[in-house]
Amino acid sequence: MQPIRRAIACLAAAAAIVVATPAICADPAPAPSAHSLELAKRLFAEMNMSQLASAMMKSVEPAMLAQARKSNPALTDEQAKAVSEAVSEASNDMMSKLMERMIPLYASTFSEKELQDVVAFYDGPSGRAMLQKMPVLMASMGPIMAELMPQMTADVMRRVCAKTDCSKMRGPPRS
């Protein structure tokens, strides 16, 4: 059970970092107007935001799973498949919750004029082209993430160990 827990922890942490970083960094904003909320909803619909977020998660999943396998050589193919499916399902659930919360954030962060301009962009030919090509770009991220993930993991560990005594760190609880 230990390899599965490590793999899940690794995948969940990486997924959370990828998905939540923009929302975590945002300052609290004032309550948005009804019109701004409507524009933000329209923007998310125009951008296919939910599909883009899912595509992004799917593109980094192989890199996260490769890192989990590297960190947990005892992970069987069956366990890896189960972890991958569970992370994908949990990510999809989290995405819908995240989208619900991001709409008011966008609506209160951007002015109505800015939202109108961005919606108009995605309504136009350049915006549509960008959205059409985004899945290809997202798919291309997988190999890049696979290449960078070990470096990031090592960098995180180096930074953590610079801040605390790593010899006292414990792994995940055993079942």
Side-chain angles (χ1 to χ4, degrees), residues 16-29 98 102 105-106 109:
I17 289 168
V18 168
V19 172
T21 298
I24 290 169
C25 296
D27 290 330
L98 184 62
M102 285 178 62
L105 182 62
Y106 270 60
T109 301

Side-chain angles (χ1 to χ4, degrees), residues 5-152:
R5 282 187 183 205
R6 282 191 194 137
I8 290 170
C10 179
L11 289 171
I17 289 168
V18 168
V19 172
T21 298
I24 290 169
C25 296
D27 290 330
S33 70
H35 188 240
S36 289
L37 283 169
E38 186 55 42
L39 286 167
K41 286 179 188 175
R42 189 167 161 210
L43 174 61
F44 275 45
E46 291 287 336
M47 291 177 62
N48 298 318
M49 187 70 93
S50 188
Q51 293 88 343
L52 285 175
S54 292
M56 181 176 66
M57 286 306 301
K58 201 151 206 58
S59 74
V60 298
E61 194 175 295
M64 292 188 293
L65 193 54
Q67 184 62 30
R69 282 185 173 281
K70 184 176 178 184
S71 301
N72 306 290
L75 197 67
T76 67
D77 288 343
E78 182 180 340
Q79 291 169 332
K81 182 180 179 208
V83 168
S84 181
E85 288 172 357
V87 168
S88 180
E89 292 163 3
S91 295
N92 287 337
D93 286 348
M94 186 189 64
M95 278 301 148
S96 66
K97 292 173 185 166
L98 184 62
M99 294 300 134
E100 286 175 25
R101 292 184 179 189
M102 285 178 62
I103 288 172
L105 182 62
Y106 270 60
S108 61
T109 301
F110 296 100
S111 70
E112 286 184 12
K113 170 77 169 111
E114 290 166 336
L115 287 168
Q116 288 169 340
D117 290 348
V118 176
V119 167
F121 169 75
Y122 284 111
D123 254 347
S126 296
R128 295 242 181 254
M130 184 174 168
L131 292 172
Q132 192 173 27
K133 295 173 184 179
M134 194 61 71
V136 173
L137 291 172
M138 292 294 166
S140 299
M141 279 181 48
I144 294 169
M145 288 297 292
E147 180 184 328
L148 295 177
M149 191 67 73
Q151 295 167 19
M152 182 184 151

